[in-house]
């Protein structure tokens, strides 16, 4: 998988919504998610894990709750205890009311770790500004949320009995990638290709994002990956397709990206 680092496609106006989404995701993870700082320093313990489970169960989207619109009888309370199998997290009746529909929104700002967060924010940082520039601030925010909701419900329909929390901005960010592919397929993207060392290349967006989508589609079928049960690849695919469809009407009026200067694939770019 290539790692994008920069696109040769300057925006005409400041992407305030993209900046706000980046800041909100980082703040929610670093300041509000239990054990986030401990995971960075390696200082997490059972108490942090139990608080995190309770936090995610309350604010994450759970497929079973989205489809059947009801909460389970027992949920993690955030406390620790000792049972027949040894120390563990205490479960009990929920002491709060939860709206499954609203949980999709809150889940978009939750992440399972620093790599999960930084990966999503990297893609949003590189590709979000141009999509926001084309759509405008308000429409881009609505677009982002619609893609996130579609991705979450799409995954829930594919695994309606799952009680595992669904978290992350991946579905919404995938929608941004789909829109970028439609609007700026010929834009050049600087990427790092892991081949013994990280080799920098400048590739067309349709190759970078097309490859990303193909991999997500393959992974969603459970092929070529061992963690298919812990990563919501179906949500990535749904978000990407919805992003493409929503951006398609804007394609005719989208100005082309500037022609890059310098050497490209061993030839001088015009």
């Amino acid at each position: 998988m290539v790692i994008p680092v920069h696109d040769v496609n300057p925006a005409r106006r400041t992407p305030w919504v993209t900046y706000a989404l980046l800041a909100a995701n980082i703040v929610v993870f670093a300041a509000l998610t239990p054990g986030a700082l401990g995971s960075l320093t390696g200082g997490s313990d059972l108490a942090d894990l139990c608080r995190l489970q309770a936090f995610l169960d309350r604010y994450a989207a759970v497929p079973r709750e989205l489809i059947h619109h009801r909460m389970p009888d027992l949920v993690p309370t955030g406390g620790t205890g000792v049972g027949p199998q040894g120390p563990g997290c205490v479960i009990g009746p929920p002491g709060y009311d939860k709206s499954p529909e609203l949980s999709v929104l809150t889940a978009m700002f939750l992440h399972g770790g620093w790599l999960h967060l930084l990966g999503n924010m990297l893609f949003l940082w590189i590709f979000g500004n141009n999509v926001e520039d084309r759509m405008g601030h308000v429409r881009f925010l609505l677009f982002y949320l619609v893609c996130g909701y579609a991705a979450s419900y799409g995954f829930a329909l594919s695994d309606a009995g799952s009680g595992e929390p669904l978290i992350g901005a991946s579905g919404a960010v995938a929608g941004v990638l789909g829109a970028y592919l439609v609007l700026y397929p010929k834009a050049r993207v600087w990427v790092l290709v892991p081949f013994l060392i990280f080799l920098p290349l400048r590739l067309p967006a349709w190759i970078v994002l097309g490859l990303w989508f193909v991999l997500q589609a393959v992974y969603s079928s459970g092929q070529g990956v061992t963690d298919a049960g812990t990563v919501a690849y179906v949500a990535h695919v749904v978000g990407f397709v919805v992003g493409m469809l929503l951006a398609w009407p804007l394609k005719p009026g989208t100005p082309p990206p500037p022609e890059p200067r310098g050497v490209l694939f061993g030839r001088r770019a015009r």
Side-chain angles (χ1 to χ4, degrees), residues 110-122:
L110 305 178
H111 289 85
W114 285 99
L115 288 179
H116 187 201
L117 171 70
L118 295 177
N120 281 335
M121 296 304 99
L122 174 64

Side-chain angles (χ1 to χ4, degrees), residues 3 5 189-194 197-203:
I3 304 172
V5 293
V189 181
W190 280 103
V191 300
L192 297 177
V193 180
I197 60 173
F198 283 102
L199 180 66
L201 289 177
R202 190 168 62 192
L203 302 175

Side-chain angles (χ1 to χ4, degrees), residues 70-174:
R70 65 173 183 268
M71 292 182 59
D73 296 329
L74 298 175
V75 298
T77 64
T80 60
V82 180
Q85 305 299 324
C89 301
V90 176
I91 60 173
Y96 53 84
D97 292 324
K98 179 180 179 181
S99 167
E101 295 81 8
L102 186 59
S103 71
V104 177
L105 175 62
T106 55
M108 289 187 211
F109 298 90
L110 305 178
H111 289 85
W114 285 99
L115 288 179
H116 187 201
L117 171 70
L118 295 177
N120 281 335
M121 296 304 99
L122 174 64
F123 278 84
L124 180 59
W125 170 265
I126 294 173
F127 300 106
N129 61 335
N130 295 107
V131 178
E132 180 180 350
D133 188 32
R134 182 66 183 91
M135 292 184 174
H137 305 309
V138 175
R139 282 201 297 178
F140 175 71
L141 178 59
L142 294 175
F143 164 84
Y144 182 90
L145 296 177
V146 168
C147 289
Y149 266 85
S152 294
Y153 274 97
F155 178 80
L157 288 172
S158 71
D159 194 6
S162 173
E164 294 296 321
L166 179 63
I167 59 174
S170 304
V173 173

Side-chain angles (χ1 to χ4, degrees), residues 4-261:
V5 293
H6 175 65
D7 67 331
V8 187
N9 193 10
R12 298 168 299 172
R13 49 186 162 182
T14 304
W16 294 116
V17 173
T18 299
Y19 291 163
L21 290 171
L22 289 166
N25 278 278
I26 293 171
V27 168
V28 168
F29 182 77
L32 301 180
T33 303
L37 296 180
S39 67
L40 183 63
T41 61
S44 298
D45 55 16
L46 178 61
D48 289 331
L49 176 62
C50 294
R51 286 194 296 269
L52 177 61
Q53 286 185 351
F55 177 80
L56 294 181
D57 195 83
R58 181 169 184 174
Y59 295 107
V62 179
R64 185 167 54 202
E65 296 174 5
L66 295 180
I67 300 301
H68 302 292
H69 200 78
R70 65 173 183 268
M71 292 182 59
D73 296 329
L74 298 175
V75 298
T77 64
T80 60
V82 180
Q85 305 299 324
C89 301
V90 176
I91 60 173
Y96 53 84
D97 292 324
K98 179 180 179 181
S99 167
E101 295 81 8
L102 186 59
S103 71
V104 177
L105 175 62
T106 55
M108 289 187 211
F109 298 90
L110 305 178
H111 289 85
W114 285 99
L115 288 179
H116 187 201
L117 171 70
L118 295 177
N120 281 335
M121 296 304 99
L122 174 64
F123 278 84
L124 180 59
W125 170 265
I126 294 173
F127 300 106
N129 61 335
N130 295 107
V131 178
E132 180 180 350
D133 188 32
R134 182 66 183 91
M135 292 184 174
H137 305 309
V138 175
R139 282 201 297 178
F140 175 71
L141 178 59
L142 294 175
F143 164 84
Y144 182 90
L145 296 177
V146 168
C147 289
Y149 266 85
S152 294
Y153 274 97
F155 178 80
L157 288 172
S158 71
D159 194 6
S162 173
E164 294 296 321
L166 179 63
I167 59 174
S170 304
V173 173
V176 174
L177 303 186
Y180 194 100
L181 178 61
V182 168
L183 299 174
Y184 306 103
K186 297 181 180 180
R188 303 295 175 173
V189 181
W190 280 103
V191 300
L192 297 177
V193 180
F195 183 74
L196 299 181
I197 60 173
F198 283 102
L199 180 66
L201 289 177
R202 190 168 62 192
L203 302 175
W206 68 268
I207 292 180
V208 177
L209 300 180
L211 174 61
W212 184 89
F213 177 73
V214 169
L215 288 176
Q216 303 308 303
V218 171
Y219 293 162
S220 68
S221 67
Q223 301 297 316
V225 66
T226 58
D227 60 352
T230 61
V231 179
Y233 292 110
V234 171
H236 302 174
V237 172
V238 173
F240 192 94
V241 172
V242 170
M244 291 184 66
L245 295 176
L246 293 177
W248 201 267
L250 299 176
K251 181 177 175 61
T254 302
E259 285 289 337
R261 297 180 179 179

